Amino acid sequence: MSDVTVLGLGSMGAALAQAFLKAGHAVTVWNRSAVKTQPLVAAGAMGAASLADALRASPLVVICVHDYAATRALLEAPAAQAALAGRTVVQLSSGTPQEARALDPWVTAAGAVYIDGAILGGPYKIGLPDCVILCSGPTAAFERHAAVLRALAGDLRLVGDNIGVAAALDLAWLSMLFGMFGGVAHGARLCRSEGIGGDLYSSVFPNAPQAAWTADVIERDAFANPGATLSVWRAALALIQRQATDAGINTEVPDFAAGLLDRAIKAGHGEEHVAAIVKILE
Ligand code: NAP
């Protein structure tokens, strides 16, 4: 037996597994493409021979794959479903509140406890004191596993037993960031048109580190090899648009941001930093 199983070893899942190992926990890992388990096994994790073995290996199972559909596809396999009984499943893939509400009863019916979580930051944040991870679900299960989960984030919070709240807060936080990206990109253009340098521009918002970082990327023309690409941000924006449609609220703001990102992707900037939207604001 291990303390925790991590399913999904993309850039985020691998960072999660590494943080558990660094904290001294016994970790089992599994990924659809087996090759991604190798660096983790070399670092001390146990590689499971099958998904069902991975599920059975630990009382706590953390899932971080592309989206909820991928999670569901994995867990629906009969062998996996049978292995879920008695586990606590923490879903850290990004999704909408509606997707969390749909997955919760399905996992519960399989005999497991479901906690829906959201990571407010990139893989480089995992394990740091200021990394924020929000969780929604039953308090008793959260408290039972909090000591292990705290290896991932200094700021690990249970935001209530309403299962949709973590996903909703994640999307609201991302919505704030999309407003910031567009605003900083336009501000950078504005400053350039008036002959003002990037350092002077950033100096007027000393208490907004994410905005300063975005302005710095633009100033240094440092759009290559981002932690999350513009296309990945576009996928997150699609979740915000979907939540708005699900909830019947106005979609103008996310639709406006989506228009900018879609034009940037069409212009060939999909693999660049999201601040590359500045390139289409000529
Ligand atoms: P990634 O590097 O693209 O990895 C995607 C992972 O999902 C891989 O392990 C992939 O397996 C797996 N996967 C995709 N489709 C699958 C399927 N149908 N069945 C089984 N496995 C499947 O993405 P990531 O950056 O790790 O992101 C993972 C999740 O974390 C996403 O929901 C993302 O929104 C969320 N997140 C990411 C960040 C970030 O900055 N990266 C920040 C916050 C939240 P293969 O290796 O076999 O393809």
Side-chain angles (χ1 to χ4, degrees):
M1 285 292 279
S2 47
D3 299 320
V4 57
T5 287
V6 179
L7 304 182
L9 301 171
S11 36
M12 185 54 92
L16 301 175
Q18 290 285 8
F20 284 130
L21 286 170
K22 196 172 165 200
H25 299 300
V27 183
T28 296
V29 291
W30 182 89
N31 191 65
R32 179 179 62 173
S33 318
V35 68
K36 288 191 187 157
T37 60
Q38 286 169 8
L40 280 308
V41 170
M46 285 162 269
S50 69
L51 173 59
D53 285 353
L55 288 165
R56 273 191 294 267
S58 313
L60 174 64
V61 176
V62 172
I63 305 181
C64 190
V65 291
H66 183 64
D67 58 12
Y68 280 58
T71 298
R72 188 71 178 253
L74 286 178
L75 300 182
E76 262 174 358
Q81 206 171 331
L84 272 177
R87 318 287 127 193
T88 295
V89 173
V90 179
Q91 157 83 308
L92 293 179
S93 319
S94 303
T96 67
Q98 182 54 36
E99 286 175 311
R101 284 191 285 270
L103 193 57
D104 179 27
W106 188 88
V107 172
T108 306
V113 176
Y114 184 65
I115 292 177
D116 195 78
I119 304 166
L120 275 58
Y124 67 96
K125 274 276 187 192
I126 298 301
L128 297 180
D130 62 343
C131 179
V132 180
I133 295 186
L134 307 178
C135 293
S136 298
T139 305
F142 175 81
E143 285 176 353
R144 193 159 55 246
H145 297 291
V148 176
L149 290 171
R150 219 169 285 289
L152 304 180
D155 192 350
L156 175 80
R157 302 181 209 168
L158 182 70
V159 287
D161 59 3
N162 177 338
I163 204 72
V165 172
L169 286 172
D170 182 33
L171 298 186
W173 174 73
L174 288 166
S175 173
M176 175 276 292
L177 288 180
F178 281 111
M180 180 274 285
F181 291 138
V184 170
H186 180 78
R189 281 270 170 239
L190 187 161
C191 284
R192 274 184 200 172
S193 73
E194 296 291 337
I196 297 166
D199 288 346
L200 188 53
Y201 175 33
S202 304
S203 75
V204 295
F205 38 83
N207 299 319
Q210 285 158 322
W213 159 73
T214 305
D216 183 58
V217 167
I218 296 171
E219 173 68 9
R220 291 186 299 108
D221 214 16
F223 301 101
N225 304 314
T229 63
L230 196 148
S231 294
V232 166
W233 282 100
R234 179 64 184 89
L237 193 45
L239 294 176
I240 299 175
Q241 291 176 295
R242 197 177 331 141
Q243 187 281 336
T245 306
D246 287 346
I249 62 170
N250 186 290
T251 63
E252 277 175 84
V253 170
D255 288 350
F256 173 73
L260 291 179
L261 268 70
D262 285 343
R263 275 170 53 211
I265 290 169
K266 204 168 165 195
H269 305 303
E271 293 309 301
E272 297 182 34
H273 192 286
V274 65
I277 54 173
V278 72
K279 296 183 182 183
I280 57 153
L281 300 177
E282 296 290 350

